Amino acid sequence: MALVAGALALAVAALGAGDAGPPRRPAYPAKLPPGEGHDATERACLICHSAMLITQQHKDSTAWEKSVRQMETWGAPVAPAEHAAVIGYLTQQFGPAKK
Ligand code: HEC
């Protein structure tokens, strides 16, 4: 299965190679990258939606705080003791876009 997906990705990449269209950005990662606070974030945040909804964001800590509070009111199981670690992880990994 992974082999098939890999072959498909290669085929798609080869097809796009000669294309003079606009430059393409790399796809957003579908998994949360490793780091401090990863486990709690993965456990609490991937129940309702994919990681891409998170990995495509760039937010500062205030904005992540707002989003995570919203997710918590919707039922994200973030233990009070984990809350700061989740915000720290998100800000570290998906902070404001760098130029
Ligand atoms: C109870 C289900 C649920 C859980 C658990 C959950 N989310 Fe969400 N999340 C949603 C829904 C529903 C939306 C879409 C809301 C919308 O489109 O307005 C969403 C949208 C988002 C978005 C895009 C909108 C925005 O605010 O930028 C982000 C980022 C996000 N979630 C992050 C998280 C994080 C981080 C966690 C873990 C703390 C989490 N979610 C856990 C239900 C959930």
Side-chain angles (χ1 to χ4, degrees):
M1 195 56 205
L3 205 63
V4 174
L8 202 63
L10 276 178
V12 169
L15 274 176
D19 186 3
R24 293 180 190 183
R25 296 178 141 233
Y28 298 113
K31 286 185 173 171
L32 294 180
E36 180 88 40
H38 166 275
D39 293 0
T41 307
E42 187 167 84
R43 189 165 9 84
C45 302
L46 302 187
I47 300 170
C48 303
H49 51 68
S50 86
M52 284 215 323
L53 212 52
I54 297 167
T55 60
Q56 69 189 353
Q57 307 287 335
H58 291 289
K59 298 178 192 273
D60 61 18
S61 59
T62 308
W64 274 121
E65 179 69 37
K66 199 171 162 221
S67 294
V68 170
R69 291 256 176 244
Q70 175 71 83
M71 301 302 147
E72 286 168 353
T73 63
W74 287 344
V78 181
E82 292 170 346
H83 181 88
V86 169
I87 300 293
Y89 172 81
L90 293 167
T91 308
Q92 172 74 32
Q93 299 290 337
F94 314 108
K98 296 181 193 81
K99 294 268 168 180

